[in-house]
Amino acid sequence: MSNFDFENFDDDFESNSSPRKNRREDEIERYKELLKKGSSSITNVEALEEIVNYYFEKEKFEEALHFANQFVKFAPYSADAWMCKGMILNNMNQYDEALQCYDQALALNPMDGDLYINRGITLDNANRNEEALENFNKAIELQPGNHEALFNKAITLEKIERHDEAFEILVFLNKEDSSNKDVWFELGFCYDLMDKLENSLKAYDMHINLDPYNINAWYNRGIVLARMGEFEKSIDSYDMAIAIKEEFPTAWYNKGNSYATLGQLEKAIECYKQALQYDPKDVPAWHNLGNAYEEINNYTEAIVCFTKAIKIDSAHYESYFGRGSCYDAMENYKKALQDYNRALEICREYPELWYAKADVEYNLGKYKESLLSYKMVIQLAPTNYEAWYDFGDTLFELGYNKEALKALNKSIELNSTYADSLYSRAKVLFVMKKMADAVESLKTAFALNNDLRKQFDEEFFGAKSIKEFESLFQQ
């Protein structure tokens, strides 16, 4: 890939003092004055069309709409005038009004493929995707092989997850014109959606060779690299996007995510702070900043961040969970439980949250409540052998030996090398006077974790003197 000189980036754009720009602005002002005076030296339609196009290109849509209204008033039978107004309204997100303009234009010129394309774009923006496809197909029917219609059809197909069809169109367009940067961009996006990440990366590289200052291409490239596990390279791509436009909060946010995944938490924190500088109401950024602080055991700052996220979005259960985890780590179990309960009011199908709640209830001495929470964990995540172990161990502590034995057997069935479950099963069997079985379970537990010998001796002082255990402890 080429190296680009971003120091001279501004040279590629028209400067504010461009003579050409000044001449055109002077001309526009002259047209406006002539229109006000009702001059006959130019046609009103000619002046209006020039003014509308000027403001449309400058994305000054309010001004463009003002003159577009005059345009259709002066030329009510001009399909172009109605289409022009429709395009402006589309860019102002006034989709119903835009569609009315396109319908008026089509009544005047029903064979204009461009009208169907623009109508399709507006329908797509309004998430009326099937209707949008009908309009693009009509344009293609009127003008077979129309690249613009095919391209916009592909974008709509991507939106409704008909990726194979979109891909087929984009490949065709790419073969027709391999220098079309927009097609390369959409191919990159389509490959990404199809989980063909290497192909996606190549397509974005091709686009960037044609359009090196497209921040979205650099950003999407970073996303693809992160999905490929190439986090350091993804950071390089985000940096390129940020070099072009520093005020790019999502690039800073995802750069932070890459640093966090690499374990470089201080750098991640700086990136999340930059993202929040540009978008202070970004809930995921506040949440991930909290996570980063929690990872470095700065629970006070983490709680501040999670609280900020909750103030912005009171339904963000992940931040209640995060804040609760901080209180839990600080042994403020009551506040932790409050946050876990609030999170579960919002999202009950979250086994990790039930697990945290069960543990904190246990620490608060709410053993029966913790049993119910552990039970929820194993209902939602039946293959979680650690949850089966904690469930069984708590049952044992409460004297439910048979139920405890079943739960611990399930944990061992799921993971036969988990020493804690084998050890706890031995304790249950010991209490149930099933000495031979207890010894066999202890043998396996000790073989996996020899430190458990000391623990057993402390918990069951004098067990060494029992005949069945003598040989075990001699080993």
Side-chain angles (χ1 to χ4, degrees), residues 235-299:
I235 289 167
D236 291 339
S237 269
Y238 298 136
D239 278 339
M240 292 296 284
I242 291 164
I244 299 167
K245 182 183 178 183
E246 187 175 358
E247 191 175 335
F248 194 170
T250 52
W252 284 107
Y253 169 76
N254 280 285
K255 182 182 174 183
N257 289 344
S258 289
Y259 273 128
T261 305
L262 291 168
Q264 299 181 40
L265 295 170
E266 294 294 344
K267 289 183 178 179
I269 286 168
E270 289 307 310
C271 289
Y272 294 138
K273 285 181 176 179
Q274 282 288 346
L276 289 164
Q277 180 182 332
Y278 299 121
D279 185 3
K281 293 189 176 181
D282 186 344
V283 171
W286 279 114
H287 177 79
N288 283 12
L289 180 58
N291 279 340
Y293 277 125
E294 184 183 0
E295 286 291 316
I296 61 173
N297 300 325
N298 190 340
Y299 301 119

Side-chain angles (χ1 to χ4, degrees), residues 320-333:
Y320 283 107
F321 188 9
R323 191 172 69 178
S325 297
C326 291
Y327 285 131
D328 200 343
M330 296 167 75
E331 298 185 3
N332 191 337
Y333 299 128

Side-chain angles (χ1 to χ4, degrees), residues 96-218:
D96 290 338
E97 294 86 345
L99 290 170
Q100 291 172 12
C101 291
Y102 294 137
D103 289 342
Q104 186 71 33
L106 283 167
L108 296 165
N109 187 3
M111 303 303 289
D112 188 340
D114 289 342
L115 278 169
Y116 284 103
I117 292 170
N118 283 302
R119 192 172 189 275
I121 290 169
T122 298
L123 287 163
D124 181 71
N125 289 337
N127 294 317
R128 292 164 62 177
N129 307 117
E130 293 298 334
E131 293 174 79
L133 288 175
E134 289 174 9
N135 278 262
F136 296 138
N137 287 334
K138 182 64 176 178
I140 294 164
E141 179 187 322
L142 291 169
Q143 300 171 0
N146 184 310
H147 286 193
E148 188 180 358
L150 286 165
F151 179 74
N152 282 286
K153 180 181 178 180
I155 292 174
T156 301
L157 289 168
E158 284 178 339
K159 284 181 68 175
I160 59 177
E161 299 183 359
R162 287 162 62 176
H163 304 142
D164 290 339
E165 294 173 69
F167 176 71
E168 186 178 343
I169 293 171
L170 292 168
V171 168
F172 167 77
L173 292 172
N174 185 251
K175 287 179 180 178
E176 290 281 297
D177 180 7
S178 62
S179 65
N180 188 322
K181 62 183 182 181
D182 295 331
V183 172
W184 279 116
F185 183 91
E186 290 303 326
L187 268 173
F189 185 64
C190 199
Y191 276 127
D192 185 10
L193 294 174
M194 297 166 72
D195 288 323
K196 295 181 178 180
L197 301 181
E198 290 284 353
N199 292 37
S200 177
L201 186 61
K202 289 176 184 176
Y204 282 128
D205 283 345
M206 290 299 296
H207 172 89
I208 288 166
N209 284 334
L210 296 165
D211 186 3
Y213 299 118
N214 186 338
I215 59 170
N216 292 316
W218 283 110

